[in-house]
């Protein structure tokens, strides 16, 4: 098969964000099969690539090309007003999905792009899919798959569940998002989601849904060196500019850590991840034995070096990569039910679930003081992650879906 992965950003460096983490690995895995795979970058908002990144992708075995950027015009006040009026109409796009340069992008896309030679186009994100969808039929591939990765309406719903105040206008935006998401599913041949929870929340045509979780790069853990941490260490890993991660850490520090570290003064809590906002440093400074690392050279070194891993997320959507990566590193994981929703590990077997401060404290006590139980949970977690989140297996499942649809 000839497969084109169509993106608006370059999936490099791989851990720049969740999208690059997913598509660097998937593009690499697909390129290692006997199919002809191309990665096409179309900078639909601005020039979001540089030649060094393209060269790095090529060196990794991923055939990559990128379109030139096109002029971005500053929208007039009239355009902004009309866009907001359109967003108020039931038939209009959600406001956050409106692009003032959409027509310019479509004109340039129609001139520069032709996918008629491909069997499959994997269009990554809604904005890219909509650019592809408006192409004339003669320029389209035999099959198009839309991948938004997470369900955007589910993100909103989880925020509401977690107690965030939500304006009436945002509730209306949520309703529009649900309708808009179902419309995109109907227009694609297949729609791809990162977890069953995200897929089921869409309420779209079940025959069109593909669930493709992220996998794990096995070699990254093996090659990672250990880092010098306190021996009695508890860790959290994540992008610390991402609001659900920030809220998770603050909740843990406010509700679990003060009493726990008072009774267990040898414990240290490591907050590992890029771009921590100032409020994270300020919150950490209020407590004993808390370390905020900021960006690190190798995230796997921290997974290998911590003793226990906690994931106190109460909002967000998708698959929590941090959970499956900690499990793959054989670390006992204590997670909220929401953070485990896309992982689907069994409580008490390969993960410990906790949704209150008391439950987190109890789980920490058990795993810190019962080495055999901690070892068992870590080993079962490793087996579960290896079985369910291997990129080569997930890639073959995706290719099988393509073949069935195309009749190959």
């Amino acid at each position: 098969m000839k497969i084109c992965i169509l993106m608006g950003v370059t999936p490099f460096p791989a851990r720049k964000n969740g999208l690059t983490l997913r598509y660097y690995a998937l593009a690499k895995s697909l390129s290692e099969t006997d199919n002809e795979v191309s990665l096409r970058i179309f900078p639909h908002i601005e020039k979001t690539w540089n030649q060094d990144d393209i060269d790095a992708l090529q060196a990794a075995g991923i055939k990559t090309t990128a379109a030139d950027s096109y002029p971005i015009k500053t929208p007039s006040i009239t355009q902004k007003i009309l866009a907001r009026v359109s967003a108020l109409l039931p038939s209009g796009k959600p406001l956050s999905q409106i692009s003032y340069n959409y027509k310019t992008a479509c004109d340039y896309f129609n001139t520069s792009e032709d996918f008629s030679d491909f069997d499959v186009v994997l269009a990554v994100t809604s904005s890219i899919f909509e650019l592809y969808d408006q192409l004339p039929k003669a320029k389209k591939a035999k099959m198009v798959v839309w991948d938004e990765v997470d369900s955007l309406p589910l993100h909103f719903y989880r925020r509401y569940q977690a107690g965030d105040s939500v304006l009436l206008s945002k509730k209306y935006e949520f309703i529009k998002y649900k309708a808009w998401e179902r419309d995109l599913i109907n227009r694609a041949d297949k729609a791809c989601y990162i977890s069953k929870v995200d897929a089921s929340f869409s309420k779209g045509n079940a025959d069109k849904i593909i669930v493709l979780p992220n996998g794990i790069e096995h070699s990254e853990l093996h090659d990672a060196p250990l880092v010098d941490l306190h021996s009695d260490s508890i860790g959290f890993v994540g992008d610390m500019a991402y609001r659900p991660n920030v809220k998770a850490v603050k909740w843990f520090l406010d509700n679990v850590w003060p009493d726990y570290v008072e009774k267990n003064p040898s414990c240290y809590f490591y907050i590992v991840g890029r771009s921590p906002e100032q409020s994270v440093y300020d919150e950490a400074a209020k407590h004993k034995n808390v370390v905020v690392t900021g960006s690190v050279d190798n995230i796997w070194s921290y997974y290998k070096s911590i003793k226990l891993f906690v994931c106190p997320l109460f909002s967000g959507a998708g698959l929590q990569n941090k959970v499956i990566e900690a499990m793959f590193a054989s670390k006992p994981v204590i997670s909220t039910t929401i953070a485990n929703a896309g992982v689907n590990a069994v409580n008490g077997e390969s993960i410990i679930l906790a949704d209150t401060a008391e439950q987190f404290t109890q789980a920490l006590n058990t795993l810190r003081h019962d080495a055999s139980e901690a070892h068992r949970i870590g080993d079962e977690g490793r087996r579960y992650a290896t079985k369910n989140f291997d990129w080569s297996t997930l890639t073959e499942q995706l290719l099988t879906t393509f073949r069935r649809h195309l009749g190959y």
Side-chain angles (χ1 to χ4, degrees):
M1 283 185 293
K2 292 190 69 175
I3 302 167
C4 178
I5 300 171
L6 179 61
M7 301 184 68
V9 297
T10 310
F12 192 86
R15 286 188 174 271
K16 183 166 58 178
N17 54 50
L19 196 64
T20 59
L21 178 66
R22 178 175 177 82
Y23 270 93
Y24 174 80
L26 180 56
K28 189 169 181 290
S29 184
L30 282 168
S31 297
E32 291 168 353
T33 68
D34 58 1
N35 299 280
E36 188 176 336
V37 179
S38 299
L39 173 63
R40 177 65 170 168
I41 309 301
F42 184 83
H44 59 289
I45 299 173
E46 58 187 9
K47 183 174 179 179
T48 49
W49 58 271
N50 63 59
Q51 192 57 49
D52 288 343
D53 291 345
I54 301 295
D55 293 344
L57 290 166
Q58 297 275 21
I62 304 169
K63 181 182 176 182
T64 307
T65 60
D68 292 332
S69 57
Y70 54 89
I72 302 296
K73 298 178 181 178
T74 302
S76 65
I77 294 175
T78 301
Q79 282 179 301
K80 291 181 178 181
I81 292 172
L82 289 175
R84 290 185 177 276
V85 170
S86 172
L88 290 173
L89 300 174
S91 59
K93 280 185 182 182
L95 180 61
S96 58
Q97 292 299 315
I98 290 175
S99 168
Y100 299 115
N101 286 278
Y102 180 68
K103 186 179 184 307
T104 304
C106 286
D107 292 343
Y108 184 65
F109 192 83
N110 292 347
T111 301
S112 66
E113 307 302 310
D114 187 335
F115 302 93
S116 57
D117 196 35
F118 288 95
D119 296 296
V120 181
V121 165
L122 184 52
V124 184
T125 73
S126 55
S127 54
I128 287 293
F129 171 71
E130 290 194 299
L131 285 175
Y132 173 88
D133 192 50
Q134 55 81 48
L135 279 175
K137 187 175 181 180
K139 287 190 169 187
K140 291 183 177 180
K142 295 174 184 175
M143 176 187 187
V144 60
V145 179
W146 165 52
D147 186 5
E148 190 66 19
V149 187
D150 303 344
S151 168
L152 295 178
L154 182 57
H155 273 284
F156 177 95
Y157 181 71
R158 289 269 175 80
R159 281 182 54 201
Y160 182 73
Q161 275 189 319
D164 284 6
S165 59
V166 180
L167 299 174
L168 182 62
S169 60
K170 292 295 185 182
K171 292 181 181 178
Y172 182 58
E173 182 87 339
F174 167 71
I175 293 170
K176 294 193 65 176
Y177 255 121
K178 291 283 287 181
W180 168 80
E181 185 178 41
R182 286 193 294 270
D183 177 58
L184 294 186
I185 292 171
N186 289 334
R187 286 154 57 187
D189 293 307
K190 296 288 182 181
C192 191
Y193 288 92
I194 199 169
S195 78
K196 291 180 181 178
V197 175
D198 291 78
S200 63
F201 195 80
S202 71
K203 307 295 183 185
N205 184 342
D207 293 335
K208 288 196 169 193
I209 301 295
I210 303 170
V211 175
L212 179 70
N214 283 354
I216 296 168
E217 286 282 325
H218 292 199
S219 61
E220 290 182 353
L221 175 66
H222 181 268
D223 297 336
L226 291 170
V227 289
D228 185 19
L229 306 180
H230 290 85
S231 59
D232 203 357
S233 55
I234 298 165
F236 175 86
V237 171
D239 179 351
M240 294 314 301
Y242 178 53
R243 178 54 47 183
N245 286 341
V246 174
K247 290 191 69 174
V249 164
K250 288 185 176 180
W251 179 88
F252 185 80
L253 289 175
D254 286 343
N255 295 280
V256 179
W257 192 246
D259 288 343
Y260 196 80
V261 75
E262 194 66 33
K263 296 174 183 176
N264 301 273
S266 65
C267 273
Y268 275 73
F269 181 44
Y270 286 85
I271 302 167
V272 184
R274 65 180 175 272
S275 307
E277 59 181 52
Q278 186 58 45
S279 65
V280 176
Y281 287 108
D282 293 343
E283 188 69 28
K286 298 176 186 176
H287 301 277
K288 298 177 182 178
N289 299 4
V290 179
V291 179
V292 181
T293 68
S295 298
V296 296
D297 291 336
N298 191 328
I299 205 76
W300 286 103
S301 293
Y302 285 81
Y303 281 124
K304 286 177 76 170
S305 302
I306 59 172
K307 185 175 181 180
L308 301 174
F309 186 83
V310 293
C311 190
L313 279 170
F314 291 95
S315 60
L319 172 72
Q320 295 302 322
N321 296 299
K322 59 178 71 68
V323 172
I324 62 172
E325 289 175 343
M327 293 170 75
F328 184 69
S330 301
K331 301 304 173 181
V333 175
I334 306 168
S335 166
T336 58
T337 302
I338 281 179
N340 182 53
V343 179
N344 293 317
V346 178
N347 185 28
E349 291 186 10
S350 51
I351 199 168
I352 300 294
L353 297 185
D355 292 310
T356 66
E358 293 76 17
Q359 290 171 346
F360 267 94
T361 299
Q362 182 179 355
L364 285 168
N365 282 330
T366 298
L367 295 175
R368 282 188 64 248
H369 299 299
D370 187 340
S372 62
E373 177 66 359
H375 189 73
R376 183 188 69 81
I377 293 289
D379 282 351
E380 287 298 322
R382 168 76 178 228
R383 278 191 280 272
Y384 184 84
T386 302
K387 178 182 177 182
N388 293 283
F389 302 102
D390 175 74
W391 265 123
S392 60
T393 302
L394 295 171
T395 300
E396 185 52 42
Q397 291 171 355
L398 182 65
L399 291 171
T400 298
T401 300
F402 294 168
R403 294 187 198 105
R404 285 175 180 168
H405 182 85
L406 294 166
Y408 291 175

